Amino acid sequence: MIDFDTLKYENYLIFVVVQDSISREVLMCAYMNREALEKTIETGIAHFWSRSRQQLWKKGEISGNVQKVNQIKIDCDMDSILLLVDQVGGACHMGYRSCFFRDIEGKIIGEKVFEPEDVY
């Protein structure tokens, strides 16, 4: 196991890309602190650090749209993480499967899988 002290955190956080294990679709990006990484490894469910709430956040804790982690990869610079996950429901808090549901023109190209007002 990689020594967590060798990871390059910025302000105690490390950037995370979350990708579907099978389709390889990028679902979301977030940040982890060391506690979130440890919780993710311990439980097999993605945990992140919420910069807006300043607290640990279990993905899907309220919505039920959890991310079951299959693999964790560290990039060559040791400053970002890739999670390969099985996504339950949508990854985006706006109801889409992926947070990347718009193209550069603003056109919605993603699949909406739930209504946020029904979940939050």
Side-chain angles (χ1 to χ4, degrees), residues 41-99:
I41 292 168
E42 176 189 320
T43 65
I45 301 295
H47 287 72
F48 303 101
W49 179 257
S50 171
R51 294 179 300 161
S52 60
R53 295 183 309 239
Q54 291 292 297
Q55 66 183 34
L56 189 67
W57 158 52
K58 175 184 171 187
K59 177 66 176 159
E61 190 168 28
I62 295 170
S63 68
N65 296 329
V66 297
Q67 294 172 337
K68 299 176 184 175
V69 177
N70 290 318
Q71 192 172 18
I72 301 172
K73 295 184 176 185
I74 309 296
D75 83 327
C76 59
D77 293 325
M78 308 269 299
D79 65 357
S80 57
I81 295 173
L82 173 64
L83 294 184
L84 296 174
V85 304
D86 292 333
Q87 176 67 53
V88 175
C92 179
H93 73 281
M94 295 180 72
Y96 292 87
R97 172 155 170 74
S98 168
C99 292

